[in-house]
Every structure is written in structure tokens, then in C-alpha cells.
Amino acid sequence: MKILITGSSGFIGQHIVKNLSKEKIVLLTSKSSNKIKKKKFIYKNYDLKKGFIPKLECDILIHAAGITPQKKYRHLEYKKINYNGLKNILGKIKIKKKLIFLSTTDIYKNKFTKEYAKENTKVNFSELSSYAKSKFLCEEYLKDLDIKKFPFKKIILRL
């Protein structure tokens, strides 16, 4: 089974890689990470910012890449990298079985009050931070994908 992981140099991506070392893993990476380079993996370069995605095929894609709110980005940067990046990935990578998309619990967080809503509460898009909006748009995009063109299973995890 071939597993493709984006964001493998990030905190969550590194932990995923450590636990999947028995599988055939291809790491899409935009920067090198000494923590994961010790293991034998196949590395492919990509750049969500520039829209550079190699044409690949995999059984499972774990999409952990994107920009997070630790640094202050503008709304357009979140949308370009997180949302358009996902769309570009799906346009270039053929997924046979499953896509696991790592989203965020910030979708439940009100940007004005900083309080979290209950999970089953309807998301109020206008109250989301730019980061949460970009992740929510990704989720909606995945839910609306044409099943005939994208027949793989879609799993969204809000971490």
C-alpha cells in the first residue's frame, strides 16, 4: 500500500510518519526535516504557495500540510495555501482508496469571543478566523466533490 503524506515536516506530520514506517511512504515536502530524514522514505518536492504539485498516485493521502495561526497571515494567504492548495493537490494526485484531511477545532471557535461552540452547533462562517474559514472551505469542498470523479473515501479530522 502506498501512502502519501503532505506536511510531513510539521509537528503532526512527523508523528504520523513515525507510526507508519512499515508502509511504503512517499513524503511530499517543501522543506527538509532532519527528524524524518533518518528513515528511508521516498521524498517528492512540492510547494502549496506556488501551486507546484507533482503528478502522483497513491492508495491513501494524508493531507496534514497548510499554514496555521501560529504566525499572522492575511486572509488571502490562508485561502491560497490551505484551500487552493487542497484543490491543486486533488487535481494532480490520483487517490485510489482514501483521503484523510486534517482540519481544525478552530471551526468551533468564535473569533470575537474566543469561546468554543458545541460540536453539533451550526458553523457561523462570519464568526470564524481566517485560518478556520480556510479549513472549513476545504471541508465543504471535500464534501461536495463529484463521487464519480473522486471515488475515494474522504475522512475529515478536526484536531
Side-chain angles (χ1 to χ4, degrees):
M1 182 177 307
K2 187 175 182 181
I3 300 172
L4 188 64
I5 303 173
T6 66
S8 60
S9 60
F11 179 78
I12 294 171
Q14 287 179 19
H15 285 80
I16 291 170
V17 169
K18 285 179 190 175
N19 291 299
L20 292 175
S21 60
K22 294 177 184 166
E23 302 289 338
K24 182 178 178 184
I25 298 177
V26 176
L27 304 178
L28 280 180
T29 183
S30 59
K31 53 188 169 187
S32 61
S33 173
N34 294 332
K35 292 180 182 177
I36 59 174
K37 287 264 184 190
K38 294 176 184 172
K39 297 185 177 188
K40 303 278 185 206
F41 296 112
I42 299 167
Y43 294 88
K44 299 284 182 181
N45 289 329
Y46 82 118
D47 191 326
L48 289 178
K49 215 179 242 186
K50 296 178 182 173
F52 170 70
I53 314 289
K55 240 180 165 19
L56 296 169
E57 191 174 286
C58 64
D59 295 301
I60 298 171
L61 170 65
I62 301 173
H63 184 47
I67 54 174
T68 61
Q70 279 75 10
K71 295 181 183 175
K72 298 292 181 194
Y73 294 98
R74 288 195 235 136
H75 172 73
L76 290 176
E77 290 173 295
Y78 284 112
K79 187 172 181 183
K80 178 181 178 183
I81 294 170
N82 293 345
Y83 178 66
N84 292 340
L86 173 66
K87 290 171 73 173
N88 290 336
I89 284 171
L90 293 178
K92 295 279 187 153
I93 296 173
K94 182 180 181 191
I95 304 166
K96 294 179 185 175
K97 295 181 181 179
K98 194 180 297 181
L99 165 69
I100 301 170
F101 175 72
L102 303 186
S103 189
T104 179
T105 56
D106 279 10
I107 288 169
Y108 303 120
K109 187 176 181 182
N110 183 309
K111 74 176 177 182
F112 304 110
T113 65
K114 306 293 185 210
E115 293 178 6
Y116 283 88
K118 293 182 181 177
E119 273 186 54
N120 59 357
T121 304
K122 188 175 187 273
V123 173
N124 185 340
F125 194 74
S126 65
E127 294 177 353
L128 299 179
S129 67
S130 294
Y131 168 67
K133 283 179 182 177
S134 70
K135 290 295 196 169
F136 186 72
L137 287 172
C138 290
E139 290 182 16
E140 294 299 302
Y141 177 73
L142 290 173
K143 290 175 190 175
D144 292 339
L145 282 176
D146 180 1
I147 194 76
K148 290 179 183 174
K149 189 175 177 186
F150 301 97
F152 50 86
K153 185 174 183 178
K154 295 134 194 104
I155 299 170
I156 298 168
L157 300 176
R158 289 182 178 167
L159 306 176

